[in-house]
Amino acid sequence: MKINIIPTKKLGMLSAAVFAVMLAFSHNASALTIGDAHELGFVQFGIPSGDSDRLTYVNHLIGMTPGTSDKADGQTYLRSGNNFGSLAPAVLGGLVDGTSTSINLGAGGTYLYLFAKYDGPNYGSEVWYVGDLSGMITIPATAGGYGLSGWTLFGSAATTPDGGTTVMLLGAALGVLGMARRFLMS
């Protein structure tokens, strides 16, 4: 019986390659907070709060100048001072609704805006820009002392689910495994 012992140098290189592949496939985790750098704005009160109403509120905030306030659609809008550059309008197609504080954004770029409604007529609605985030995020369970009622993720007509990043990472992982196999067999 022949026993193959992997030399220390090869084992170290293999470990580094495996670590790099695991790092490439890891998701970014973020916690959004009220008033953070991702906040697009606030809608007081955000009622009614159906999907098409929420779409109207988000698109109104997108059209506002950073750091301004406005009254329209029976709402008071407060646009944060955060400048995200040119923002695409939100669309109803592909939206996702939920009620938990943990939200999976996927690979990133699929969703651009997150609308979160806090306790009906008592507080209001926070809107965040999430187009540069991916993976699992968390949002506050309460705002202004009131609980989360629900949220909606919006994309835009210009967003696509995956731009090929997953395929590229899979190819890189397979290449590393092929090189590791060749290294270990020599």
Side-chain angles (χ1 to χ4, degrees):
M1 173 190 253
K2 183 178 177 185
I3 298 176
N4 289 334
I5 298 176
I6 301 171
T8 308
K9 185 176 181 179
K10 287 184 180 181
L11 183 60
M13 291 177 71
L14 177 62
S15 297
V18 168
F19 178 74
V21 169
M22 288 174 46
L23 188 60
F25 282 107
S26 68
H27 289 281
N28 297 331
S30 299
L32 298 177
T33 58
I34 307 299
D36 68 6
H38 283 93
E39 184 183 50
L40 182 64
F42 179 77
V43 182
Q44 188 177 19
F45 289 95
I47 298 173
S49 194
D51 289 336
S52 62
D53 300 308
R54 291 177 177 197
L55 177 70
T56 299
Y57 306 150
V58 170
N59 281 329
H60 189 88
L61 282 170
I62 291 168
M64 292 175 64
T65 302
T68 62
S69 64
D70 191 16
K71 289 188 182 229
D73 312 309
Q75 310 298 318
T76 300
Y77 294 89
L78 304 169
R79 175 68 160 82
S80 75
N82 300 328
N83 188 350
F84 302 103
S86 178
L87 294 173
V91 296
L92 282 176
L95 70 84
V96 176
D97 290 319
T99 57
S100 73
T101 58
S102 295
I103 303 167
N104 187 354
L105 296 176
T110 303
Y111 303 107
L112 297 181
Y113 311 104
L114 172 61
F115 178 98
K117 179 77 182 99
Y118 289 91
D119 197 42
N122 295 311
Y123 181 68
S125 306
E126 289 288 332
V127 180
W128 289 277
Y129 173 75
V130 295
D132 59 347
L133 298 176
S134 63
M136 292 299 295
I137 63 168
T138 59
I139 60 174
T142 61
Y146 297 100
L148 176 68
S149 301
W151 52 260
T152 302
L153 281 171
F154 292 99
S156 82
T159 58
T160 56
D162 188 77
T165 306
T166 304
V167 174
M168 181 188 72
L169 290 172
L170 178 62
L174 291 174
V176 167
L177 288 175
M179 288 175 32
R181 181 176 181 263
R182 186 172 191 177
F183 231 128
L184 292 174
M185 295 303 192
S186 61

